[in-house]
Amino acid sequence: MNAPKSTVLFVCVHNAGRSQMAAGWLRHLAGDRVEVLSGGSAPGEGINPVAVEAMHEVGIDIAANTPRALATDDVRASDVVITMGCGDACPIFPGKRYEDWELTDPAGQGIDTVRAVRDDIKARVEALVAEILPA
């Protein structure tokens, strides 16, 4: 019998840049072996177009994604909750793994800065995949 899939929730303020790029990387690297959720403490109107461009450069399409509000049920359902600059907006439940990734907010930044954020996120997601998925 297969072990249940881990669920990872990425949370940033607007759910328009960092958390969307992280979710895109995790879906790309782990495929359907991990359930991926994302949300924002104050969701934006749309995905950051520079983040879309930076991810497109590495073959990952996040253009059709839509920022959504952080849902308490998403936190409850997740095994790993990764926050990115949203402070204490995320509810805490016992037994969950929480990490706070300090990342530059790509909002209003140029492509070079957003590429650096994208690559930092990729390295962190790769490390996460190595930890939560069996070899």
Side-chain angles (χ1 to χ4, degrees):
M1 185 169 148
N2 292 338
K5 285 197 270 192
S6 290
T7 301
V8 177
L9 170 62
F10 294 105
V11 183
C12 68
V13 177
H14 300 297
N15 190 224
R18 294 167 289 189
S19 57
Q20 292 287 347
M21 288 191 289
W25 274 121
L26 186 54
R27 287 183 184 108
H28 178 76
L29 295 168
D32 62 359
R33 299 178 294 162
V34 175
E35 182 73 26
V36 181
L37 304 171
S38 71
S41 53
E45 295 291 316
I47 303 298
N48 178 335
V50 184
V52 170
E53 178 183 350
M55 293 301 284
H56 180 76
E57 290 175 352
V58 295
I60 299 171
D61 184 4
I62 62 170
N65 296 5
T66 304
R68 58 186 287 274
L70 172 63
T72 300
D73 286 345
D74 287 347
V75 179
R76 188 177 287 117
S78 297
D79 301 298
V80 181
V81 178
I82 298 175
T83 58
M84 304 171 188
C86 60
D88 296 328
C90 196
I92 304 294
F93 290 99
K96 307 287 178 199
R97 173 179 166 183
Y98 290 88
E99 290 185 25
D100 184 49
W101 291 357
E102 290 189 25
L103 297 161
T104 299
D105 186 349
Q109 301 291 331
I111 188 67
D112 289 337
T113 299
V114 177
R115 283 181 185 127
V117 174
R118 174 200 67 200
D119 295 345
D120 187 359
I121 291 170
K122 179 185 181 190
R124 293 171 190 248
V125 170
E126 286 173 334
L128 179 67
V129 168
E131 292 174 24
I132 66 173
L133 289 179

